[in-house]
Amino acid sequence: MRKIFLQIGATRDGQNPYCAVAKREGYFTVLAEMGDFVDYQSLSIQHPFDLIVRLDRPENPWDVLQACLRAGLLEHPHVVLAGFEAYNASAGRVRELLAGPDAGPCFIPPDKYAQRMALRKAWPRFPQPEFRFFASPLSIRDARDALLYPCVIKPVDGGGGLGIWLVEEASQLDAVIAKLVETVNYGGRGFSGFIVESWLAGDEYSLQGVVDNGHAVALTCCQKVIEHHIDSDGCISFYESGHVATSAQHLPATFASLMNFCCETLGYRQGAFHIDFIMVNGEPHFLEMGFRLSGMGVVNLVQEVTGINWADVAFQIEAGNGLPRLHFSPQSQAIGRLRLRQRLQHDAAERWIEQHQRGQLLPPLNLPKLEVSPRSSLYSDLTRHAGILATFCLAADSRDEVLAVFHHILEVPALVSRRDLLCAE
C-alpha cells in the first residue's frame, strides 16, 4: 500500500520543501490547490507533485477530501500539511477527519484574534499590543471615536501582509476602510474578522522552530525588514521585504520564555512554527504565531544558518517519527535575504555587490503581472506575491551589518516609503 503525502495549498515562494522530503521518503505526493492558481504558477515553475488535485476552495476540508476522491485518490493520506498560511486550518481539519472520532481532538490553528484572547486569558498582563475585534470594516469605521491612534488594522485570517494598514489619525480611517471593503482574502473569499491594535515602535523579529510532543526548539531568530508604502490616497501599507537570520542555538531567555508560553498556552504540541514579536523597551511583545513553515525563502535561510533542513524535521515529526537529532552548524554568521520590488533597488544592490565583491542576486520566481478584477481568486496573490525583481542575499559577521546594507539598498531616492514608521504586523 502506497504512502501518500497531501499538501493543501502551493507555496507562494515557489519552493516545495515538503514535497522534496516526501519524495525522498517514498511518498506519493499530492497537491490540492485552486485550479486558477495552479495554472498561474505553472507559467513560471513546474510543480513536482505526482498528482495535482484542482478545487475551488482549498480552505474547506470537506471540499479537499471530496476533490481527492474524485481524482481517484482512494487511500487516506499518511501526512497532511499546509503549503500556505491561508490553508493551515483546513489541513488541521483534514487531519482531524482522517483520524476518526476515537482519536481525540486534533490541533486546529487558531486565528490571530483567538491567539490573542487565549494568551490574555492565560496571563492578563502578557505583553502584546492592545487590541479589539471587529466583524467588518464598516464596524471599524463606526467605532472611529473609540479607537486609539495610531493603530494597525489587520484581518484575523489573512497572510503575507494582505489587508494590513497603519492609521495614524482618525481622518485617515475612511480611506483605509474603503480599501478594506474592496479587499478579498486569498481565493476570492471574505475575511472572517479584523483586529485593530495599538501601534508599537520597535524592531520586529520572528522565531522559526519545531515542537515535538510539547517540547519546543527554536532553530533561527530573524530580524525583519519592513517596507512602508504610501499610496495615492495617503494610506500606509506594509511589505515584509526581508529577514536577517542568526542561529537560535543560544536563545535569549526572554525569547525562549515567549516561545514556550505560546506553544503551551495555545496547545501546540507537534509541528513547525514561527512566532512574530516586536521589541519594546527591551521586552518582546507578541504579534502572532504561525503554525507552519515560513514562506519567502526563509526555509532556505534556516538551512544556510543552522545546517538543519526545517522542512525535513517538521515532516518527520508529522509522520510520527519524532524529533530527529539536531546538529547545528558551527558557523555563526548572520545571513539575510531581501526581496527587491523596484528597479532602483535592484540596481543599487548590483552596484553594492560589484563594489564590495560580496553577496548575490537570486533570480525571482518571475510570476507574470496580470490585470484581474479585485474579486478574482488570484487578486490577492497578484497583489502580495508578484512583482519581485530579485532577492539580495548577504552574509556577514553580525546581523547589524547585514541590516545596514539592506536599509541602504532600500533607501533609494525614488522609493515612496516612510522610514520613520515601523510595522506592528
Side-chain angles (χ1 to χ4, degrees):
M1 184 175 180
R2 61 181 178 176
K3 299 185 298 182
I4 296 175
F5 164 58
L6 171 62
Q7 178 174 305
I8 304 178
T11 59
R12 266 45 182 180
D13 60 5
Q15 305 293 314
N16 287 287
Y18 281 145
C19 186
V21 174
K23 282 181 172 293
R24 186 198 69 202
E25 296 292 319
Y27 284 77
F28 181 82
T29 58
V30 181
L31 171 66
E33 178 57 280
M34 292 186 303
D36 287 350
F37 187 77
V38 169
D39 292 338
Y40 171 65
Q41 205 172 52
S42 295
L43 296 174
S44 300
I45 64 172
Q46 183 175 358
H47 290 99
F49 295 85
D50 297 309
L51 174 67
I52 295 179
V53 175
R54 296 164 176 263
L55 70 161
D56 293 332
R57 299 181 60 197
E59 72 276 9
N60 187 309
W62 288 105
D63 285 4
V64 171
L65 292 176
Q66 289 296 317
C68 287
L69 287 174
R70 288 196 300 271
L73 197 68
L74 303 181
E75 310 100 315
H76 283 179
H78 291 69
V79 178
V80 180
L81 292 164
F84 182 52
E85 181 175 10
Y87 308 127
N88 215 20
S90 179
R93 293 292 183 191
V94 168
R95 288 193 292 267
E96 184 177 56
L97 290 169
L98 294 176
D102 299 329
C106 289
F107 177 81
I108 308 300
D111 65 27
K112 295 175 177 63
Y113 178 67
Q115 293 175 31
R116 294 288 186 85
M117 289 301 296
L119 294 169
R120 173 180 283 182
K121 182 178 179 180
W123 180 12
R125 297 184 63 185
F126 177 72
Q128 58 179 317
E130 291 297 322
F131 65 95
R132 293 178 60 186
F133 173 82
F134 291 89
S136 69
L138 296 181
S139 61
I140 300 174
R141 187 187 63 186
D142 293 342
R144 171 197 316 274
D145 296 334
L147 301 180
L148 298 177
Y149 301 94
C151 61
V152 175
I153 302 175
K154 62 175 65 172
V156 300
D157 58 344
L162 177 66
I164 300 179
W165 299 92
L166 172 64
V167 181
E168 296 178 290
E169 55 189 37
S171 62
Q172 299 172 336
L173 189 61
D174 286 341
V176 167
I177 295 304
K179 294 180 183 298
L180 285 175
V181 168
E182 295 299 319
T183 302
V184 296
N185 206 346
Y186 294 97
R189 57 196 169 95
F191 296 108
S192 60
F194 299 83
I195 289 178
V196 178
E197 68 182 25
S198 59
W199 171 77
L200 298 179
D203 293 326
E204 190 173 343
Y205 293 82
S206 64
L207 291 177
Q208 291 75 37
V210 292
V211 57
D212 176 47
N213 196 28
H215 172 61
V217 179
L219 302 179
T220 52
C221 180
C222 292
Q223 185 165 344
K224 295 186 179 184
V225 179
I226 308 294
E227 288 187 84
H228 304 83
H229 174 74
I230 304 178
D231 67 14
S232 58
D233 297 317
C235 299
I236 305 169
S237 61
F238 308 110
Y239 283 104
E240 190 175 291
S241 294
H243 295 81
V244 182
T246 55
S247 173
Q249 190 172 10
H250 304 291
L251 197 63
T254 54
F255 293 9
S257 177
L258 173 70
M259 174 183 70
N260 291 324
F261 180 74
C262 289
C263 289
E264 180 179 352
T265 302
L266 299 177
Y268 192 52
R269 299 184 57 80
Q270 176 177 302
F273 69 83
H274 64 266
I275 300 174
D276 295 343
F277 59 95
I278 191 166
M279 294 298 292
V280 180
N281 297 324
E283 183 176 35
H285 285 58
F286 175 86
L287 295 176
E288 62 185 62
M289 184 170 180
F291 308 93
R292 59 180 179 88
L293 299 178
S294 299
M296 295 183 290
V298 173
V299 172
N300 295 331
L301 261 185
V302 172
Q303 184 150 16
E304 291 167 7
V305 169
T306 65
I308 296 171
N309 186 328
W310 188 17
D312 191 0
V313 175
F315 190 95
Q316 297 302 336
I317 292 173
E318 191 61 39
N321 301 325
L323 179 68
R325 186 180 297 274
L326 301 178
H327 299 282
F328 283 81
S329 170
Q331 68 91 15
S332 58
Q333 278 192 312
I335 303 177
R337 289 185 171 224
L338 180 69
R339 301 196 300 172
L340 305 174
R341 294 178 174 272
Q342 299 194 31
R343 176 53 57 183
L344 287 178
Q345 294 174 345
H346 181 277
D347 294 345
E350 275 191 329
R351 289 193 299 271
W352 194 95
I353 292 170
E354 183 178 0
Q355 179 180 354
H356 295 86
Q357 294 298 299
R358 294 168 54 202
Q360 61 177 323
L361 287 178
L362 299 181
L365 182 57
N366 199 30
L367 290 169
K369 293 183 178 180
L370 303 177
E371 294 295 329
V372 298
S373 161
R375 296 294 166 181
S376 165
S377 63
L378 292 177
Y379 183 79
S380 295
D381 277 297
L382 290 168
T383 303
R384 303 307 302 183
H385 300 287
I388 307 300
L389 300 178
T391 299
F392 180 26
C393 300
L394 180 65
D397 291 333
S398 72
R399 181 176 58 211
D400 289 344
E401 182 180 349
V402 179
L403 285 168
V405 175
F406 282 0
H407 285 300
H408 169 72
I409 297 300
L410 293 179
E411 289 170 352
V412 292
L415 181 62
V416 182
S417 66
R418 294 283 296 273
R419 303 306 310 167
D420 59 322
L421 298 177
L422 292 171
C423 176
E425 181 182 344

